[in-house]
Amino acid sequence: MFAPTLFKNRTILITGGGTGLGLAMGKALAQYGAHLILVSRNAEHLEHAAAALRTSKAEVVTLPCDIRDHTQVATMLDTAFATCGTIDGLINNAAGNIAAPTESLSPNAFLSVVGTVLHGSYFCTQQLGRRWIAAGARGTVLSIVTTYAWSGSAFVVPSACAKAGVLAMTRSLAVEWGRHGIRLNAIAPGPFPTAGAWQRLMPPGLEQAMVARNPLGRVGRPEELAHLALFLLSDAADYINGECITIDGGEWLAGAGQFNALSRLTREEWEALRAQAAGNNYGQ
Ligand code: HXC
Ligand code: NAP
């Protein structure tokens, strides 16, 4: 789909890059020549992912870090620059999420999710941006949010609050840092089955319900999201700044449109509705 050298000599840091969608983006970036820095808490699965990526000849550095802690983020970035010399792009992909009735959540449950998604994305972005600005270097930030960042969603309130914040950060800094040659964009995915999300969040039957209400009648494929990420991080998207691209098969719009339920009408029912409209006499 892209030129094989699209990311040659580019180094991209992916938080949560050892699993799920982060790893899928890492694989696609490696395929197009990128060097990768994978960051998350669990050194074991980071190493496992790096070993798989290195078989495709990619240069991969793994840096264990809990992004909720800004001191760990600072140390991680110092090590990343010392090891790789440069970082060209950041993907804020790491996340925590809890599906539960909000009244049942402890303060720490809220802090744990918001700490990873909002604070963690901010710490990585702010501390890397500060280094880019000081060095006069250009850079690109891509944050993985979700469609309920703007619609909200029952039962995932900490995540919804935090993702809305990440979207606000993206749009704010796109304007503030554009003059430094730093672009920030976001992707809002619909349902993409990953072990991390599905094992934590999906009770039996919910995936089928998501598929049933999706206009395209299916969930997403990780490589579809990865290709969008590659485009937004690449120079081909150099004039796209402060945008959020939804990749959900039309899911969130299907839930929003007042007349969307009419998609179940038969031909006879459409004709009956037309006849009903023709007979309109404004109630007189
Ligand atoms: C209520 C819960 C809970 C649950 C944890 N807690 N799970 N409360 N219901 N199901 C509470 C704990 O009791 C604790 O509070 C606090 O949350 C922190 O939990 P810990 O397990 O101690 O923390 P930690 O090990 O840091 O784990 C953080 C986590 C966990 C967010 C809870 O799920 C995690 O590590 N997630 C990372 C990966 C992830 O979530 N991936 C999914 C992303 S998908 P107390 O008060 O007891 O200390 C996504 C979009 C999906 O974001 C959209 C799908 C369509
Ligand atoms: P995932 O595999 O569970 O990914 C989450 C990653 O975040 C893990 O690699 C985890 O690794 C890392 N992480 C969690 N807490 C961290 C912390 N405090 N510090 C550093 N790293 C941390 O889930 P996924 O489905 O691929 O999700 C990827 C992104 O897509 C997330 O932003 C998610 O919100 C978004 N998204 C997913 C879907 C979907 O349907 N899958 C839909 C909408 C949005 P460690 O455990 O090693 O830390």
Side-chain angles (χ1 to χ4, degrees):
M1 182 165 177
F2 304 109
T5 52
L6 189 66
F7 284 93
K8 192 164 185 276
N9 296 328
R10 301 277 173 102
T11 302
I12 309 292
L13 190 158
I14 311 175
T15 66
T19 67
L21 300 180
L23 180 54
M25 290 185 277
K27 280 180 183 158
L29 283 161
Q31 198 187 332
Y32 289 96
H35 307 313
L36 299 173
I37 304 169
L38 307 183
V39 171
S40 78
R41 296 165 300 175
N42 183 322
E44 228 168 86
H45 72 226
L46 284 182
E47 252 332 298
H48 195 255
L53 288 163
R54 284 184 193 120
T55 60
S56 64
K57 295 201 173 57
E59 284 179 31
V60 188
V61 172
T62 62
L63 296 175
C65 170
D66 187 333
I67 62 169
R68 290 174 287 197
D69 177 349
H70 64 87
T71 61
Q72 286 192 39
V73 171
T75 307
M76 178 274 289
L77 286 176
D78 287 344
T79 312
F81 275 104
T83 314
C84 303
T86 175
I87 301 174
D88 302 286
L90 163 69
I91 307 183
N92 286 315
N93 166 80
N97 204 345
I98 296 171
T102 306
E103 65 275 17
S104 73
L105 294 177
S106 69
N108 195 35
F110 182 82
L111 291 171
S112 169
V113 172
V114 173
T116 301
V117 176
L118 180 55
H119 300 185
S121 299
Y122 173 81
F123 293 149
C124 292
T125 304
Q126 194 258 2
Q127 294 195 31
L128 181 53
R130 169 190 277 171
R131 284 164 169 81
W132 279 335
I133 291 166
R138 294 166 64 85
T140 309
V141 178
L142 179 66
S143 294
I144 310 303
V145 294
T146 152
T147 54
Y148 60 67
W150 57 87
S151 70
S153 175
F155 304 114
V156 284
V157 166
S159 172
C161 296
K163 294 287 192 182
V166 174
L167 190 53
M169 176 188 79
T170 299
R171 290 174 170 151
S172 305
L173 286 177
V175 176
E176 188 175 331
W177 286 354
R179 69 200 169 96
H180 297 295
I182 300 172
R183 291 190 299 118
L184 295 96
N185 291 297
I187 292 178
F192 283 75
T194 63
W198 257 231
Q199 280 165 17
R200 283 188 178 89
L201 306 172
M202 288 288 163
L206 187 58
E207 179 179 335
Q208 288 86 329
M210 286 180 174
V211 167
R213 71 159 191 262
N214 193 297
L216 297 187
R218 65 173 175 89
V219 293
R221 302 179 189 114
E223 63 274 16
E224 294 174 318
L225 183 138
H227 286 145
L228 176 58
L230 259 61
F231 170 67
L232 288 172
L233 286 166
S234 77
D235 291 345
D238 203 38
Y239 204 50
I240 301 181
N241 189 26
E243 262 310 318
C244 178
I245 314 282
T246 298
I247 178 164
D248 73 342
E251 181 198 53
W252 90 268
L253 287 170
Q258 207 161 35
F259 284 82
N260 288 350
L262 294 192
S263 62
R264 66 173 162 70
L265 257 58
T266 61
R267 180 196 290 262
E268 290 71 32
E269 286 170 321
W270 279 116
E271 280 164 11
L273 179 61
R274 186 171 179 170
Q276 175 188 310
N280 171 43
N281 64 356
Y282 296 95
Q284 286 154 10

